[in-house]
Amino acid sequence: MKKVRTLVCLAVLSTLQIAPAAAAAPEALRDAVRKAVVTNPEVQARWHGFQAADADQETARAGYYPQVDVSASIGRERLTRPNTGTDDYTHRNATLSLNQMVYDGFFTKSEVARMGYAKLARYYELVDASEGAALEVVRAYGDVLRYRELVRLAKANYVEHKQISDQIGERAGAGVGRRVDLEQATGRLALAESNLLTEVSNLHDVSARYLRLVGEMPPEALGDFGDKLAAGPLPANASEALREAFNTSPALNAAVENVRAGQALVDSRRSAYHPRVDLQAYKAIDHNLDGVSGRSTDSVVQLVLNYNLFRGGADQARLRQAAEQLNQSRDLREKACRDLRQTLSIAYNDSQRLVEQLRYLDQHQLSIEKAREAYRRQFDIGQRTLLDLLDTENEYFQARRAYTNARYDQVIAQARTLNGLGKLMSALDVARDDLPPASEVGQDRAGIDPATICPPDAPLPLQVDKAALLADTLREAGGAKR
């Protein structure tokens, strides 16, 4: 007996020692997420959008550089002059021209800034799509594990009901059991078969979702989540999580950059009210110009000012359009903030609530398991009815099913919280090798001030004082008796 206790103690100590290592995400999950963020079509579409935005900024920056053109022509011309007759000749021309913008009302500067902010917005949208794909893979991975376990529980539940049904059938056939008991057992067996079929169908559906996200079927060997995805703790409360998310959430950062791009568009539209100054230079070489035989050259260097006086109201309309688009981007930023505040508050509350709920569900399934074994022994000696036995079997199955669902829901709630913080991929230690940091893309602001967007307020979870609740109930019951 002493030797058994020693072995148990050593097993517990070894479990405690390996617990931190077991908290890391399984390698199969990291591989699945890595494949999704590299090959998922939605993420790849965002990647190409980011690349296109980078090319757009280079296009806008070209406005700072001179434009150089070469043109050449050759053709037959006929020139008719009064009192001199008509001449037919071949005219050849070659022209080299240069145009350098000197002042354009800060149009080029505003466009370069606008395209830079748009590139940052596309960058954060790419990060958000990658985070979203990672979350969906975590959900699918967890659901495959969940329904594989639920199928196993449903199989065991079916076997138990089948054995009880056969036992009752033998009793009824021998004349020592009632026919109604057999009907009741047959009905419960049919329910167990239906439960098994449901779980098998659910496993098929989540496997198809995994295939869509990752591009391959889930392997037979999937590492378990453990109890958490990352070794680091979550923020202390929902308000702290929101304050952190306002600076790290890619969705909110994308909305902020869209607002900055909208302001730069307004500045760009205002340039139409300024004059434009260009430095122009060209040299033309002609043969037989205007019918004069021989070679002619024309060289020009000049400053050209152009100031539009009337364009039919187009400039004013474009400026008004840009102002409305800026207001639209501000409204979408407000929406992104409110959406983040809701989803992160719910995810954080779920991740905390399910920890406590798991303790109660575990206690429930352990208690039902003990009651089930006791009822089975009492049924064998005639102290319990068939209905008692079947009820405990069904309750045991539902208790184990509820515990399994809550266990996976709790880890997925952690993933949803990390996704709201924009840190799910870093928690899984997964990254795109071709994705640069935001500072290299052009991020030049320190962060987001929540006071300028929306306050990081989260509803406080309701705390139930169970002792006070019970005391109030007993007090009300006592008053009613009097």
Side-chain angles (χ1 to χ4, degrees):
M1 193 65 177
K2 189 179 294 183
K3 190 174 183 180
V4 172
R5 287 199 193 99
T6 304
L7 291 173
V8 170
C9 291
L10 288 174
V12 170
L13 288 173
S14 63
T15 303
L16 292 174
Q17 288 173 353
I18 67 171
E27 186 61 33
L29 175 59
R30 288 200 296 270
D31 288 342
V33 172
R34 200 174 292 117
K35 290 175 184 176
V37 299
V38 173
T39 63
N40 186 273
E42 183 178 355
V43 178
Q44 286 301 96
R46 296 290 187 182
W47 166 254
H48 293 302
F50 168 61
Q51 294 291 89
D54 182 62
D56 284 342
Q57 189 181 30
E58 292 302 316
T59 302
R61 191 175 283 117
Y64 287 121
Y65 296 93
Q67 179 178 332
V68 181
D69 295 287
V70 174
S71 62
S73 64
I74 183 171
R76 291 289 295 174
E77 296 185 10
R78 172 173 289 185
L79 180 62
T80 301
R81 298 186 180 92
N83 303 321
T84 59
T86 301
D87 291 334
D88 290 322
Y89 57 91
T90 299
H91 176 215
R92 298 192 300 275
N93 168 269
T95 302
L96 176 66
S97 62
L98 178 145
N99 189 90
Q100 172 63 60
M101 180 274 296
V102 178
Y103 178 74
D104 61 356
F106 306 106
F107 173 80
T108 300
K109 178 182 178 182
S110 300
E111 282 296 287
V112 171
R114 181 170 75 90
M115 294 305 176
Y117 297 141
K119 180 173 72 172
L120 274 169
R122 302 296 85 77
Y123 170 83
Y124 284 119
E125 287 172 359
L126 168 62
V127 175
D128 184 53
S130 301
E131 286 278 330
L135 176 60
E136 288 304 308
V137 171
V138 171
R139 286 180 185 271
Y141 185 98
D143 284 342
V144 170
L145 286 175
R146 179 203 310 263
Y147 286 107
R148 282 180 178 178
E149 186 167 347
L150 291 179
V151 166
R152 182 180 61 81
L153 295 179
K155 286 179 178 178
N157 183 57
Y158 164 75
V159 169
E160 291 294 335
H161 279 80
K162 178 63 175 173
Q163 290 176 344
I164 293 174
S165 178
D166 291 345
Q167 183 180 0
I168 299 303
E170 291 175 0
R171 290 186 178 186
V176 295
R178 293 175 297 182
R179 193 70 185 176
V180 67
D181 290 344
L182 180 60
E183 294 296 334
Q184 200 169 47
T186 302
R188 293 299 182 91
L189 176 61
L191 179 60
E193 290 176 315
S194 176
N195 290 334
L196 176 58
L197 184 61
T198 298
E199 304 303 354
V200 169
S201 178
N202 289 336
L203 178 59
H204 169 273
D205 294 348
V206 298
S207 299
R209 177 153 53 90
Y210 184 100
L211 174 62
R212 175 180 66 84
L213 294 168
V214 183
E216 60 184 34
M217 289 297 295
E220 290 298 323
L222 289 180
D224 196 10
F225 276 138
D227 60 347
K228 55 184 178 180
L229 289 176
L234 295 176
N237 53 58
S239 294
E240 287 189 15
L242 285 172
R243 289 191 187 92
E244 183 176 340
F246 282 165
N247 283 294
T248 57
S249 168
L252 185 56
N253 274 281
V256 170
E257 296 303 329
N258 277 325
V259 172
R260 299 175 79 190
Q263 183 60 61
L265 178 61
V266 172
D267 297 337
S268 174
R269 293 289 187 255
R270 288 198 178 108
S271 66
Y273 293 95
H274 293 250
R276 179 183 174 96
V277 180
D278 292 282
L279 174 65
Q280 295 180 350
Y282 68 88
K283 183 172 185 177
I285 301 175
D286 293 272
H287 289 270
N288 302 331
L289 178 64
D290 294 334
V292 179
S293 180
R295 174 176 172 175
S296 304
T297 61
D298 184 14
S299 301
V300 176
V301 176
Q302 60 185 358
L303 276 174
V304 178
L305 182 145
N306 183 69
Y307 190 46
N308 173 260
L309 299 178
F310 182 68
R311 220 187 315 262
D315 296 335
Q316 185 178 7
R318 290 193 185 99
L319 182 59
R320 191 168 62 249
Q321 176 196 39
E324 292 302 327
Q325 289 177 348
L326 175 59
N327 290 332
Q328 181 186 36
S329 63
R330 285 171 175 163
D331 291 335
L332 291 175
R333 182 188 63 184
E334 173 72 15
K335 179 182 182 299
C337 182
R338 294 188 182 189
D339 289 346
L340 174 62
R341 191 165 57 187
Q342 173 188 326
T343 55
L344 183 55
S345 297
I346 294 174
Y348 186 89
N349 182 65
D350 287 347
S351 66
Q352 303 301 309
R353 173 184 55 83
L354 284 164
V355 172
E356 182 180 3
Q357 189 175 359
L358 274 169
R359 294 201 300 268
Y360 301 133
L361 291 173
D362 188 33
Q363 181 60 50
H364 178 226
Q365 71 169 352
L366 291 176
S367 299
I368 294 301
E369 182 177 13
K370 293 178 181 178
R372 166 177 170 264
E373 294 301 323
Y375 273 43
R376 183 185 294 271
R377 290 192 298 268
Q378 292 171 359
F379 174 76
D380 290 338
I381 60 177
Q383 292 183 350
R384 290 289 176 180
T385 65
L386 173 66
L387 183 59
D388 294 333
L389 184 60
L390 294 176
D391 283 344
T392 52
E393 284 294 341
N394 187 61
E395 189 174 358
Y396 179 60
F397 169 67
Q398 295 299 334
R400 298 178 73 189
R401 191 175 188 277
Y403 178 80
T404 299
N405 280 323
R407 189 163 69 88
Y408 287 103
D409 286 343
Q410 197 271 332
V411 181
I412 291 174
Q414 290 182 24
R416 288 160 46 210
T417 304
L418 292 168
N419 173 256
L421 293 169
K423 295 182 175 181
L424 178 57
M425 289 178 62
S426 61
L428 296 172
D429 194 22
V430 173
R432 286 184 67 116
D433 295 333
D434 52 3
L435 188 65
S439 58
E440 292 185 11
V441 182
Q443 184 58 270
D444 56 355
R445 55 182 172 81
I448 299 174
D449 182 11
T452 63
I453 303 177
C454 60
D457 296 333
L460 295 175
L462 179 62
Q463 300 293 333
V464 179
D465 189 341
K466 300 169 188 174
L469 178 63
L470 181 60
D472 291 343
T473 303
L474 293 175
R475 187 166 49 251
E476 290 175 2
K481 287 180 179 180
R482 287 195 298 269

